[in-house]
Amino acid sequence: MSQHPLHGGDPSVLRRLNSAATLRELRDCGEATLSELAGRVGLSRPTTEGVLGELIRRGLVAEGAPRPGAGIGRPARRYRFRAEAGHALGIDIDAHRVRLLVADLTGEVVGGHGAALDVRATPGERIAAVRAAVSACLGAVRIPRRSLWAVGAGTPGVVAPDGTVTSCTAVPGWEGVRLGRELGRSFRCPVLVENDANLAALAERWRGAARDADDVVCVYAALHTGTGALIGGRLHRGRWGAAGEIGMLPEMGLRDTAAALGGDASLDRAARVLDAAARGDAEAAALVNALAARMARGVAAMALALDPEMIIVGGPLARSGGPLVAELRRRVRPLCPAPVRIESSRLGDESVGLGAVRLALDRIDEDLFRLDRGAASAAPRRAT
């Protein structure tokens, strides 16, 4: 059941409380009749009917189809949350490609798109290619741009609160790019930018291996290896977005991780080494073991600093049956005085995109359920 609405005080605040409680109940627990909903939320039938009328006018609730075989007489009207009323877009940008996911207001992914990026492209060319990919994605799923209520974007590097990439070694020329502002020119809704490892951590708790954990470290192994942390179920960014960036210290062994496997900064070559190691190739296994030995210092440092319930290893290098993850598990555990679970991500290439969707949905929720304004509009406005 949703949190109980209040029944005394400022009438306008009470209306918003009742509206938020009713909307959340329908979204999280499914469609219901008027009587069922009134009982679940703790309101009278007349008050619930008035709240539903307002939510229908705002486009957030619709009357569902009556259930067949409900008995003699006219079946009770049923009401449902309109998940299709708006959408969230998640964008995952790195040096070589962009991936996009579109989800409805319940988080159900309704479409996606991917495109290659030229690693030598200038920031302007890269952003133009991302914009083109967004247009292609929305066209493929037939969702108009005005249906987007928030956009989340993930990128390697340190991302300041205003969406500026303040430090980045994985994407040439990316440092100093005001990515939030540049992407924001393409949308009328809020655009939020976050570090890729942080978004992978959000995705793991939402849809991945860390659903039941509150204190989580996500190790995102790619060209370089980044880490994101959830503390008490909330993303820990730090004052300027640099929390978890221990990989910037060479001693931590988290830089140039793909090159350690492939001999150059190529994820494709690193993937071939991982595949060979999973098949039992001794030379490839030796490379993976050496990389794990190097990375173990940085992973253990995060574990010692935060004492998490779980460490999730994801990203392009956490693949092929998990030879790198298995070796990290063997090497990190002895360095930690407290027991820690080390698991492989199950989200594959979609972890950052899913985390970007979750970031956008969280912003939508803030607007949908906030109590300090009227309910004149369903869609959140663009942040200024």
Side-chain angles (χ1 to χ4, degrees):
M1 181 181 290
S2 297
Q3 60 183 14
H4 287 287
L6 302 178
H7 295 277
D10 185 340
S12 64
V13 173
L14 291 178
R15 282 195 298 271
R16 291 196 290 273
L17 279 167
N18 292 340
S19 177
T22 301
L23 185 63
R24 194 182 295 275
E25 184 69 26
L26 282 175
R27 187 196 65 177
D28 295 346
C29 300
E31 68 174 39
T33 66
L34 177 61
S35 295
E36 290 169 346
L37 192 57
R40 279 159 38 178
V41 179
L43 294 170
S44 68
R45 278 178 55 92
T47 299
T48 304
E49 191 168 23
V51 168
L52 286 170
E54 175 199 340
L55 292 173
I56 289 171
R57 286 192 297 274
R58 292 172 60 192
L60 295 172
V61 169
E63 192 171 328
R67 290 182 178 176
I72 300 174
R74 183 180 178 184
R77 289 179 295 175
R78 304 188 67 82
Y79 299 90
R80 67 174 182 86
F81 175 70
R82 292 191 67 242
E84 72 277 14
H87 294 86
L89 175 65
I91 309 174
D92 172 15
I93 309 167
D94 71 11
H96 300 88
R97 53 101 179 105
V98 57
R99 290 191 179 94
L100 304 103
L101 294 173
V102 184
D104 66 20
L105 296 182
T106 64
E108 182 71 24
V109 174
V110 297
H113 180 72
L117 298 176
D118 186 349
V119 69
R120 300 164 297 180
T122 66
E125 292 168 338
R126 184 176 301 278
I127 291 168
V130 170
R131 289 192 177 115
V134 169
S135 296
C137 180
L138 296 178
V141 295
R142 297 184 180 181
I143 290 175
R145 199 171 291 250
R146 65 179 179 274
S147 183
L148 295 178
W149 286 12
V151 175
T155 179
V158 177
V159 180
D162 68 352
T164 299
V165 182
T166 59
S167 176
C168 184
T169 55
V171 182
W174 213 225
E175 187 168 315
V177 171
R178 300 182 69 176
L179 188 56
R181 187 184 70 172
E182 293 299 325
L183 291 178
R185 292 174 176 170
S186 299
F187 303 99
R188 298 178 61 187
C189 62
V191 175
L192 304 97
V193 182
E194 187 56 86
N195 165 265
D196 54 0
N198 286 348
L199 292 183
L202 285 180
E204 293 296 341
R205 190 161 192 273
W206 182 36
R207 294 280 176 86
R211 294 187 193 195
D212 299 323
D214 288 330
D215 298 317
V216 179
V217 168
C218 182
V219 177
Y220 192 76
L223 292 176
H224 305 287
T225 294
T227 58
L230 299 174
I231 300 175
R234 298 177 64 86
L235 182 64
H236 182 68
R237 303 185 72 257
R239 182 67 181 86
W240 302 108
E245 294 293 337
I246 63 171
M248 299 181 79
L249 298 173
E251 298 85 353
M252 294 293 99
L254 300 179
R255 294 179 63 86
D256 301 311
T257 41
L261 289 179
D264 61 15
S266 167
L267 289 174
D268 290 337
R269 183 172 295 183
R272 289 194 291 272
V273 173
L274 289 163
D275 289 339
R279 295 193 301 267
D281 182 278
E283 184 177 352
L287 288 173
V288 172
N289 293 349
L291 175 59
R294 195 182 76 174
M295 290 176 62
R297 295 193 297 273
V299 176
M302 285 295 291
L304 290 167
L306 298 178
D307 191 19
E309 298 170 60
M310 296 183 68
I311 296 174
I312 309 295
V313 185
L317 303 188
R319 52 169 289 161
S320 303
L324 178 62
V325 179
E327 190 62 18
L328 277 173
R329 185 181 294 122
R330 188 178 75 83
R331 291 179 178 273
V332 171
R333 282 176 172 170
L335 301 177
C336 301
V340 59
R341 290 170 56 195
I342 301 176
E343 304 289 347
S344 179
S345 171
R346 308 183 203 122
L347 299 179
D349 292 337
E350 292 192 340
S351 63
V352 176
L354 281 172
V357 168
R358 182 66 263 172
L359 186 71
L361 288 171
D362 287 346
R363 174 54 190 267
I364 291 171
D365 281 359
E366 289 178 12
D367 286 306
L368 272 182
F369 300 113
R370 66 190 297 181
L371 303 176
D372 59 350
R373 66 167 187 166
S377 173
R381 297 178 180 177
R382 177 175 173 176
T384 56

